[in-house]
Amino acid sequence: MGGPCKFRSSRADRLIARPTKFLVLECSFVLGVGNRIRIYEADTNGASNILDAPLGTARPVAKRLLVDLADLGLDPIDNIEGMTWGPRLPSGERTLILVSDNNFSDKQVTQIVALAVQ
């Protein structure tokens, strides 16, 4: 369900974490600076269902930053476009697998990143 991350901030992918909570992968790219990848938790609990309802009184989905990949010391961070749950670790933590592709470019890299999630 991912999509390419271009020269603006965009949602690249999302993943169900719990019944009302989703992980949202957002990426941005600035020429000369590079990619910025962030993972948020979106919580629909308490948000308005706006189907056939006025928007003026709508309550938005809550969004909370979980991790900015720039803070993890990974170098380089390329065009991460997809994520999925991986296996549980012996500690009980889940793994979150992130993936990028090189878009057939020698200036980009294909990456698979595994993160432990509590």
Side-chain angles (χ1 to χ4, degrees):
M1 286 296 217
C5 176
K6 299 294 184 194
F7 296 95
R8 58 181 167 72
S9 184
S10 65
R11 181 215 33 89
D13 205 356
R14 66 232 167 259
L15 183 66
I16 296 173
R18 294 185 185 99
T20 64
K21 295 185 179 187
F22 302 83
L23 297 184
V24 179
L25 177 65
E26 291 187 2
C27 59
S28 59
F29 176 81
V30 175
L31 195 59
V33 176
N35 292 289
R36 184 158 197 180
I37 310 297
R38 294 178 174 159
I39 300 173
Y40 292 88
E41 177 187 73
D43 189 347
T44 60
N45 190 33
S48 299
N49 180 347
I50 60 169
L51 182 64
D52 299 324
L55 294 178
T57 59
R59 290 179 315 276
V61 168
K63 179 176 153 183
R64 177 175 67 99
L65 178 65
L66 296 178
V67 65
D68 184 332
L69 267 59
D71 297 336
L72 300 181
L74 302 173
D75 188 38
I77 296 289
D78 210 322
N79 188 22
I80 302 287
E81 298 177 305
M83 64 181 170
T84 190
W85 290 116
R88 286 204 179 268
L89 298 171
S91 64
E93 296 170 305
R94 294 177 87 172
T95 54
L96 180 64
I97 310 299
L98 309 175
V99 64
S100 74
D101 66 68
N102 68 0
N103 294 311
F104 304 104
S105 169
D106 59 357
K107 293 179 174 69
Q108 291 184 268
V109 296
T110 298
Q111 293 177 301
I112 298 174
V113 177
L115 302 174
V117 179
Q118 295 180 337

